[in-house]
């Protein structure tokens, strides 16, 4: 008896063929310490409903009651019952068994083979190759009653494999599946999978694909589906808001130029290209880089060259292709002297900022193109500006200069409609970056929009023919201070 775990410490207990344990279970039931909630299943929990107890102990129950069963078909991917409460197991017979809150759907098939993973107790899980074959079996049921995932889901799982591991991995995966198919006599299922993989890799006709995501890959424009969901969320949020009209007060050439100087100054400062104000003024006035900081000086000059050009800042895209051409042409101007950063060319390797990984370089064009679909349905200049700024920032299509390009694209939307441009001053940097991170990581656009609205409220106050007066005003707003030193004040 010393080898037995005290049964009253377990939430779930099982009837046993062992006489001693069986007597103990019987005794505890008679004393009212446990109750039966399913065939051969008892619990010491008298508070929670049986279906809740079954759900949280489901895999232990399956492994104990049905040893050598395999969590298979769609359940091998989902690891939970469907919305209708069904869980699918490959076992020695075909049968449905109902437990509180769950229906176990047994499918007769071969037991565990080499590569199938032990899970809980004596329960196994179909290895990935086997699970794909199982999910390509024919079924008459639909949706949550179906033993298989939808065809679209299967295609997108294959696409995800390419995105994460590359095409060579998919070739290797196909060879492994071929061997498993022979063991399980699943030749028809393998034939289907082989055609899907061939379509994704463009070696077979793409007409068999049904998922928009995989069709985009087949036509050479694969995209990041998680980012597209994020862009959809932002677009939907923007469509719900009525934004006020904020006309641009900088109507003269001198005013426009003065604003453009500070726009360039702060946009570079926030990216770490920091100058004393007088140094930046000298660079712009003389169009000559400082001898000891040639590349940094050209960053200031390149940004100013774009944002001070009224004709250039009146260009906004009408198609996804135009957007990408604008991005590349502006990036070429912005970083034309930083040749090591491939000015005007989309990135050819992945980039990140801290723990944030941006869109895979193979998916840049497809993600920008798909993301543009949401831009097209926005009407208000501020909404379009906020959206395109986040689109560029989130995709991060270049190796360097992404933040500056994103802010240029944002302000071009506003210039086009004679609206006030937006400056992100040094003191507001943490609010700006924090709002972007919150949208990226938490899918919450509200703070991002509020941040830009406050930045706009500040920016519209920057208007004067005299640069000294603007500087005095910006000092009153604490614009030049570090975020740790002060807060943005709107005067």
């Amino acid at each position: 008896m010393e080898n037995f775990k005290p049964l009253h410490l377990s939430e779930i207990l099982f009837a046993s063929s062992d006489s001693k344990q069986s007597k103990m279970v019987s005794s505890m039931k008679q004393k009212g310490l446990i109750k039966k909630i399913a065939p051969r299943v008892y619990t010491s929990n008298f508070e929670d409903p049986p279906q809740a107890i079954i759900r949280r102990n489901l895999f232990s129950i399956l492994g104990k009651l049905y040893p050598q069963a395999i969590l298979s078909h769609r359940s091998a991917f989902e690891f939970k019952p469907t919305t209708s409460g069904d869980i699918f197991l490959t076992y020695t017979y075909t049968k449905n068994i109902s437990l509180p809150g769950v229906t176990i759907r047994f499918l007769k098939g071969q037991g565990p083979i080499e590569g199938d993973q032990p899970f809980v107790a004596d329960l196994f899980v179909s290895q990935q190759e086997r699970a794909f074959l199982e999910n390509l079996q024919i079924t008459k049921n639909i949706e949550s009653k179906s033993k298989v995932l939808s065809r679209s889901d299967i295609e997108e799982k294959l696409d995800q494999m390419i995105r994460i591991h590359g095409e060579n991995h998919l070739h290797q995966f196909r060879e492994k599946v071929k061997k498993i198919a022979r063991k399980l006599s699943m030749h028809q299922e393998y034939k289907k999978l082989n055609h899907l993989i061939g379509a994704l890799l463009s070696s077979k006709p793409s007409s068999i694909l049904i998922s928009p995501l995989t069709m985009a890959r087949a036509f050479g424009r694969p995209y990041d589906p998680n980012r597209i969901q994020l862009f959809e969320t932002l677009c939907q949020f923007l469509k719900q808001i009525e934004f006020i009209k904020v006309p641009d007060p900088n109507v003269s050439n001198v005013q426009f130029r003065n604003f453009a100087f500070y726009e360039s100054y702060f946009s570079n400062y926030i990216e770490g290209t920091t100058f004393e104000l007088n140094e930046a003024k000298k660079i712009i006035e003389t169009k000559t880089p400082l001898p000891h900081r040639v590349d940094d000086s050209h960053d200031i000059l390149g940004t100013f060259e774009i944002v001070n050009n009224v004709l250039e800042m009146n260009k906004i895209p009408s198609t996804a292709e135009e957007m990408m051409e604008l991005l590349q042409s502006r990036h070429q101007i912005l970083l034309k002297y930083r040749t090591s950063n491939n000015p005007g060319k989309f990135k050819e390797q992945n980039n990140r900022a801290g723990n944030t990984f941006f869109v895979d370089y193979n998916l840049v064009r497809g993600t920008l193109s798909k993301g543009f679909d949401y831009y097209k349905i926005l009407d208000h200049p501020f909404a379009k500006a906020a959206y395109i700024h986040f689109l560029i920032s989130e995709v991060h299509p270049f190796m360097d200069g992404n933040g500056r390009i994103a802010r240029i694209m944002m302000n071009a939307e506003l210039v086009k409609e004679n609206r006030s441009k937006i400056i992100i001053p040094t003191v507001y940097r943490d609010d700006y970056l924090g709002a972007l991170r919150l949208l990226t990581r938490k899918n919450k656009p509200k703070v991002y929009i509020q941040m830009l609205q406050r930045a706009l409220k500040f920016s519209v106050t920057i208007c004067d023919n005299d640069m000294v007066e603007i500087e005095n005003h910006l000092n009153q707003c604490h614009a030049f201070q570090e975020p740790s030193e002060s807060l943005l004040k709107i005067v």
Side-chain angles (χ1 to χ4, degrees):
M1 287 291 292
E2 65 270 14
N3 292 327
F4 286 140
K5 178 180 178 181
L7 292 178
H8 64 279
L9 295 181
S10 302
E11 181 179 45
I12 289 289
L13 311 169
F14 300 97
S16 173
S17 58
D18 181 273
S19 60
K20 290 182 179 179
Q21 189 164 344
S22 180
K23 286 180 182 179
M24 186 173 291
V25 170
S26 223
S27 172
M28 293 180 74
K29 184 175 183 299
Q30 289 177 1
K31 293 176 181 177
L33 299 175
I34 60 175
K35 65 177 181 178
K36 188 174 184 179
I37 56 173
R40 299 170 56 201
V41 181
Y42 298 82
T43 184
S44 57
N45 183 340
F46 285 79
E47 297 180 0
D48 295 335
Q51 56 267 34
I53 299 170
I54 293 288
R55 279 291 183 110
R56 64 173 164 261
N57 293 281
L58 179 59
F59 299 121
S60 296
I61 293 171
L62 296 177
K64 186 71 175 179
L65 298 186
Y66 310 104
Q68 298 288 295
I70 307 172
L71 193 66
S72 63
H73 295 79
R74 68 183 298 166
S75 298
F77 285 122
E78 296 176 325
F79 279 86
K80 63 180 181 179
T82 65
T83 53
S84 58
D86 297 308
I87 195 92
F88 297 90
L89 298 180
T90 294
Y91 200 45
T92 56
Y93 49 70
T94 297
K95 187 177 181 181
N96 296 335
I97 295 179
S98 294
L99 301 179
V102 178
T103 299
I104 309 170
R105 298 197 178 274
F106 292 103
L107 304 164
K108 187 174 181 179
Q110 189 168 332
I113 62 174
E114 183 181 358
D116 291 335
Q117 299 296 314
F119 187 25
V120 180
D122 207 9
L123 179 67
F124 284 75
V125 181
S126 291
Q127 58 194 286
Q128 188 183 46
E129 294 80 5
R130 178 174 183 166
F132 268 96
L133 291 170
E134 291 167 342
N135 277 275
L136 288 170
Q137 289 181 337
I138 297 172
T139 180
K140 294 180 180 179
N141 291 325
I142 59 173
E143 298 180 350
S144 63
K145 289 291 182 182
S146 172
K147 66 183 178 182
V148 302
L149 294 173
S150 71
R151 172 70 170 276
S152 181
D153 286 337
I154 292 300
E155 290 180 12
E156 290 177 11
K157 285 185 179 296
L158 292 170
D159 182 83
Q160 183 182 47
M161 205 178 293
I162 299 175
R163 284 187 281 113
I164 295 174
H165 302 293
E167 292 187 1
N168 284 337
H169 177 85
L170 198 59
H171 285 297
Q172 295 166 7
F173 172 76
R174 175 162 50 184
E175 290 305 309
K176 291 180 182 178
V177 175
K178 191 174 184 179
K179 294 176 182 177
I180 299 297
R182 288 196 194 108
K183 288 183 180 180
L184 299 173
S185 297
M186 300 179 78
H187 307 295
Q188 289 303 312
E189 291 81 0
Y190 173 74
K191 186 177 180 181
K192 292 178 187 177
L193 186 63
N194 186 41
H195 277 86
L196 286 179
I197 292 174
L200 283 169
L201 299 177
S202 301
S203 61
K204 291 186 182 297
S206 60
S207 57
I208 66 169
L209 299 173
I210 61 174
S211 164
L213 177 64
T214 54
M215 285 192 288
R217 177 176 294 282
F219 287 107
R221 280 290 170 88
Y223 59 82
D224 184 330
N226 295 326
R227 263 37 187 252
I228 299 304
Q229 289 179 0
L230 196 55
F231 300 149
E232 181 182 11
T233 298
L234 176 58
C235 178
Q236 289 172 345
F237 185 84
L238 289 167
K239 290 291 284 184
Q240 306 306 312
I241 303 174
E242 289 291 331
F243 296 104
I244 62 171
K245 181 178 180 179
V246 183
D248 188 357
N250 295 289
V251 292
S252 73
N253 290 338
V254 173
Q255 291 170 336
F256 191 88
R257 177 185 172 84
N258 289 346
F259 190 99
F261 166 77
Y262 284 104
E263 181 182 356
S264 174
Y265 175 80
F266 283 117
S267 193
N268 278 277
Y269 205 103
I270 204 171
E271 300 297 334
T273 305
T274 61
F275 285 94
E276 293 297 326
L277 201 56
N278 287 334
E279 290 180 320
K281 287 179 182 177
K282 184 178 180 181
I283 293 168
I284 297 300
E285 288 169 0
T286 64
K287 297 183 179 179
T288 304
L290 298 181
H292 59 292
R293 295 185 65 188
V294 175
D295 288 344
D296 289 346
S297 299
H298 279 301
D299 288 350
I300 290 279
L301 286 167
T303 309
F304 182 76
E305 182 179 343
I306 299 170
V307 300
N308 186 49
N309 187 324
V310 177
L311 291 177
E312 177 63 32
M313 292 299 286
N314 266 277
K315 295 177 183 176
I316 63 172
S318 57
T319 66
E321 289 302 321
E322 281 186 13
M323 177 181 68
M324 287 186 271
E325 288 172 5
L326 265 177
L327 283 170
Q328 290 178 310
S329 65
R330 287 169 176 169
H331 190 263
Q332 172 69 39
I333 296 170
L334 180 70
L335 294 183
K336 60 186 170 184
Y337 290 98
R338 290 191 183 269
T339 55
S340 62
N341 287 330
N342 296 322
K345 295 181 180 179
F346 289 145
K347 63 188 179 185
E348 296 178 350
Q349 62 187 73
N350 290 332
N351 49 7
R352 60 185 286 189
N355 292 324
T356 299
F357 290 83
F358 299 110
V359 170
D360 185 283
Y361 74 96
N362 293 299
L363 308 179
V364 164
R365 288 184 177 275
T367 306
L368 287 173
S369 181
K370 190 74 173 174
F372 188 81
D373 291 343
Y374 295 103
Y375 165 89
K376 290 189 299 185
I377 64 175
L378 295 169
D379 301 313
H380 196 281
F382 179 86
K384 294 178 75 174
Y387 179 85
I388 203 167
H389 171 268
F390 183 71
L391 172 65
I392 307 309
S393 176
E394 189 66 17
V395 173
H396 243 59
F398 304 103
M399 287 308 299
D400 189 24
N402 293 285
R404 283 165 286 184
I405 287 294
R407 291 185 286 276
I408 288 169
M409 296 293 285
M410 169 180 70
N411 280 336
E413 295 291 334
L414 300 170
V415 172
K416 179 67 175 176
E417 297 298 325
N418 300 313
R419 307 297 171 90
S420 173
K421 291 195 283 184
I422 295 173
I423 282 177
I424 307 295
T426 302
V427 73
Y428 204 52
R429 180 179 59 218
D430 287 358
D431 299 81
Y432 170 74
L433 296 176
L436 282 169
R437 279 194 297 268
L438 191 62
L439 179 50
T440 294
R441 298 176 184 177
K442 301 292 185 180
N443 206 16
K444 295 181 178 180
K446 184 177 180 180
V447 173
Y448 169 69
I449 300 305
Q450 289 175 336
M451 177 275 297
L452 284 181
Q453 287 177 314
R454 181 164 174 76
L456 175 60
K457 191 175 180 182
F458 154 74
S459 301
V460 76
T461 68
I462 305 170
C463 178
D464 208 292
N465 291 312
D466 189 333
M467 286 283 279
V468 175
E469 289 299 320
I470 295 178
E471 184 178 345
N472 290 335
H473 174 72
L474 291 172
N475 276 315
Q476 291 179 48
C477 296
H478 308 156
F480 299 107
Q481 296 187 43
E482 291 294 326
S484 59
E485 298 172 338
S486 188
L487 297 173
L488 177 64
K489 182 180 180 181
I490 300 175
V491 179

